[in-house]
Amino acid sequence: MSAELTKREFVSLMLGLPATTFLPHLAGAQSADTPLNIAFIADVQSWDPTAVTFPVGQSIFKCVYDSPLTYSSDQKLQPRQIVSRKWLDDNSTRLEITLRDDIFFHDGSKLTTEDVKYSWVTRPQKDKRLAVAGLLQDLKDVEIMSPTKAVLVYSKPSPSAEFYLGFLTVYIIPKAYHEKVGDEGFLAKPIGAGPYKLVDYQRGSRMVMEAFDKYWGGVPAIKSVTFQVLPEASTRVAAIESGRVDVAIQLPFREAVRLQKNPQLSVNLFPQAEIYMLQIPSYVDTYQNKDVRTALHMAIDKAALAKAFFNNLAKPLQVLATPGSSGDVPGYTFPFDRKKATETLEKAGFSKAKPLQMTFCTTNGTFPNDYEIAQAIAAMWRQIGVDVKLEEITVAKYLELNHAAKLPGIMLYSWANATGDPENYSGRILNPALRFSAWKEPANKDRIAKLFAMKLGDERLEEYRKLNKDASENTWSIPLLQPVASMVTKKSVSIPTYSQGYVLPAEAKRTA
């Protein structure tokens, strides 16, 4: 073996990262003690996991904080920190939960129901800006019965409430520690009860974690993990292809397919618990015209998008639900018909001679092929007589504008739903009472409120299917695709895939 370093190896070592991560000829020397390097797509928005609705960041939060309940890849709700739960009444207003009795925070203190009440009621009631305040807005109290048992008390019937105990923002933080250090101190040095402790954080660069020796689930096989923040997709591709990282996620589909030919890599492509959709702002006057909305919807060839960007592995959507999920409407299709779309737009007073002027907002690199898909849709719209101005914005900017009812046009958006339940698709996307809805159909307020209160069962799901069909027929939003996620790893690393896109190093192993 040559003692000389290649230029790539020299540059890698100069970056100060472990040599074994970068030098293929040393791969055989790797062990469980070798750090696991993950090419990740984004930095955390906040180290307070209850403060932000951040689907991408759930992998990070699950490492540091764990979760009360969890979802399997097939979207089944499973015990975690909460080992059992049951409704104590017929109205679904009192939910008894039981915690494990062997959960410790990273400072050595025990996690108890006091921490549950502090995280889910005390803080959110004082600070409505916390995302958990919106998600658990009907939770009015946590009655503590013992350190491991409590009753969650809801202000109105909430039969789907337990779905959220494994969802975004519903994490448990340490009451005593947070009260001692305050918000700023907690953000500077966050601690949770997850399988890994955060030991180094460089904003915009990396998150370094070490295994927690008192984790209730046992010490993870891989003791050290680094999430490298690489928002540029091309950088993540280069990092995994060169051997600089062990795991890379959300690569452009074509690149992931190309890497299947690399004998040193394993490429996993799988359907995601997510939908690509177009959010239509009802507060923009142009879109109050149903003919305009219908024409825009009818002009989109969803099958062509699936073929062009995902080799037909992504599934075209007819409603705001993934195919086969409980909110899907079997047999229903919304037509793609360019000729009829042109005629419908003409009914609204627009044509190629007098084009509809519109702004089309999109992210670029936030999720696979987002900007390219937006370009393709814009081209389809131009064919029917639309003058499209494509505007690149961030998710944070989109949320800011939409919450303030100032979004200038339609937005290409990716909506994640770990639960698979229609309440977290159309129930929230179309709920005018919620700030992140874009289309605020007044009649949907009472309609969805009734759905939220319905007992779980076939009748509830049938009503959601009717809502989903109405949403497509009226084009209150435009469902596009169920995307395909990608995870590429070194052959020497085994890590499970989740339809929710989770990357959980506590479940990873080195196989060679």
Side-chain angles (χ1 to χ4, degrees):
M1 179 175 69
S2 171
E4 295 182 1
L5 294 177
T6 66
K7 180 179 179 181
R8 185 191 71 206
E9 292 168 345
F10 175 75
V11 171
S12 299
L13 291 174
M14 289 298 290
L15 290 174
L17 293 164
T20 53
T21 306
F22 291 82
L23 308 181
H25 59 265
L26 293 180
Q30 295 187 352
S31 68
D33 293 329
T34 303
L36 185 75
N37 284 280
I38 301 170
F40 205 63
I41 63 177
D43 200 348
V44 292
Q45 295 177 334
S46 169
W47 279 108
D48 181 348
T50 71
V52 291
T53 303
F54 184 36
V56 170
Q58 299 313 298
S59 297
I60 305 295
F61 292 156
K62 285 178 180 294
C63 283
V64 177
Y65 301 99
D66 209 2
S67 54
L69 296 175
T70 191
Y71 282 93
S72 61
S73 189
D74 59 355
Q75 299 182 315
K76 298 292 191 297
L77 193 58
Q78 299 179 331
R80 194 80 182 174
Q81 292 172 326
I82 294 174
V83 291
S84 66
R85 62 196 188 278
K86 63 179 179 180
W87 289 106
L88 300 180
D89 63 339
D90 293 334
N91 294 324
S92 302
T93 61
R94 295 177 63 81
L95 180 64
E96 182 183 275
I97 62 169
T98 302
L99 299 174
R100 299 183 62 93
D101 63 0
D102 57 352
I103 308 174
F104 291 90
F105 289 112
H106 298 155
D107 63 355
S109 62
K110 244 186 172 181
L111 185 154
T112 73
T113 48
E114 291 281 357
D115 302 295
V116 172
K117 183 170 184 174
Y118 183 73
S119 302
W120 297 353
V121 173
T122 307
R123 286 190 71 224
Q125 288 182 353
K126 289 182 179 179
D127 187 354
K128 299 297 184 183
R129 295 171 300 176
L130 296 174
V132 72
L135 200 66
L136 300 182
Q137 59 184 344
D138 297 326
L139 180 63
K140 67 178 183 180
D141 195 13
V142 173
E143 295 178 356
I144 295 173
M145 302 169 66
S146 75
T148 59
K149 187 167 288 189
V151 177
L152 310 185
V153 183
Y154 293 87
S155 59
K156 61 185 180 181
S158 304
S160 61
E162 56 192 306
F163 292 168
Y164 298 100
L165 304 185
F167 199 49
L168 308 174
T169 80
V170 185
Y171 290 91
I172 303 169
I173 65 172
K175 176 179 183 288
Y177 176 72
H178 188 273
E179 287 182 330
K180 177 182 177 181
V181 301
D183 286 336
E184 290 188 12
F186 187 83
L187 295 177
K189 190 176 180 181
I191 66 171
Y196 288 96
K197 299 182 294 183
L198 182 70
V199 295
D200 182 44
Y201 173 56
Q202 302 296 323
R203 177 165 292 280
S205 177
R206 66 180 182 270
M207 293 159 265
V208 182
M209 303 176 188
E210 290 183 357
F212 178 40
D213 59 5
K214 289 187 177 181
Y215 179 59
W216 66 264
V219 182
I222 293 180
K223 303 299 188 294
S224 179
V225 177
T226 297
F227 284 86
Q228 296 183 26
V229 181
L230 302 176
E232 291 291 332
S234 58
T235 307
R236 296 195 299 277
V237 172
I240 189 67
E241 193 168 18
S242 66
R244 299 203 311 269
V245 298
D246 303 284
V247 181
I249 64 168
Q250 295 290 46
L251 304 185
F253 185 81
R254 289 190 183 90
E255 291 291 345
V257 171
R258 180 180 65 81
L259 292 176
Q260 287 179 325
K261 299 176 182 178
N262 189 322
Q264 297 180 342
L265 301 176
S266 293
V267 178
N268 293 289
L269 303 171
F270 50 95
Q272 211 164 355
E274 192 166 330
I275 62 176
Y276 289 1
M277 58 177 288
L278 299 182
Q279 288 276 58
I280 301 176
S282 59
Y283 45 80
V284 175
D285 290 342
T286 300
Y287 305 118
Q288 284 293 327
N289 189 318
K290 183 182 176 182
D291 287 332
V292 168
R293 303 195 309 272
T294 300
L296 293 175
H297 193 174
M298 203 172 287
I300 299 174
D301 187 346
K302 301 173 187 177
L305 296 177
K307 181 178 180 180
F309 297 106
F310 297 101
N311 199 28
N312 285 327
L313 291 179
K315 296 180 180 180
L317 299 181
Q318 308 304 321
V319 296
L320 294 171
T322 54
S325 68
S326 55
D328 193 19
V329 183
Y332 172 75
T333 59
F334 187 93
F336 159 62
D337 189 329
R338 186 172 291 123
K339 182 175 182 295
K340 192 171 181 180
T342 302
E343 294 170 353
T344 304
L345 194 62
E346 288 174 351
K347 280 177 57 181
F350 302 100
S351 63
K352 290 184 179 179
K354 184 187 175 184
L356 168 68
Q357 306 285 332
M358 66 170 286
T359 298
F360 183 21
C361 301
T362 180
T363 51
N364 189 349
T366 298
F367 53 91
N369 302 112
D370 49 1
Y371 193 79
E372 293 77 10
I373 290 172
Q375 288 178 310
I377 292 172
M380 293 174 185
W381 284 341
R382 291 185 182 109
Q383 292 182 57
I384 68 168
V386 182
D387 185 2
V388 185
K389 176 189 175 185
L390 201 58
E391 183 174 316
E392 183 180 327
I393 66 174
T394 64
V395 169
K397 186 64 177 178
Y398 158 70
L399 294 173
E400 175 190 329
L401 291 171
N402 189 45
H403 291 173
K406 293 182 179 179
L407 188 69
I410 290 174
M411 174 75 186
L412 175 62
Y413 196 59
S414 176
W415 187 282
N417 179 6
T419 73
D421 189 79
E423 180 171 307
N424 287 324
Y425 279 133
S426 54
R428 291 189 174 272
I429 293 169
L430 299 174
N431 191 339
L434 302 179
R435 64 179 185 172
F436 44 72
S437 65
W439 187 266
K440 297 183 181 295
E441 186 70 20
N444 282 339
K445 184 175 181 180
D446 289 340
R447 182 179 186 179
I448 293 175
K450 290 178 181 177
L451 282 169
F452 274 34
M454 286 183 73
K455 290 186 176 181
L456 305 185
D458 292 341
E459 183 181 356
R460 170 180 175 271
L461 294 178
E462 183 57 35
E463 290 302 314
Y464 267 114
R465 294 183 191 111
K466 290 178 183 177
L467 174 65
N468 288 346
K469 185 176 179 181
D470 287 348
S472 284
E473 290 291 296
N474 290 284
T475 309
W476 294 329
S477 66
I478 300 178
L480 294 173
L481 302 169
Q482 178 188 17
V484 176
S486 63
M487 180 187 290
V488 182
T489 69
K490 289 181 179 178
K491 288 281 189 183
S492 59
V493 172
S494 171
I495 185 169
T497 58
Y498 283 83
S499 61
Q500 298 89 345
Y502 301 151
V503 186
L504 304 180
E507 299 179 11
K509 296 179 180 178
R510 291 198 179 276
T511 58

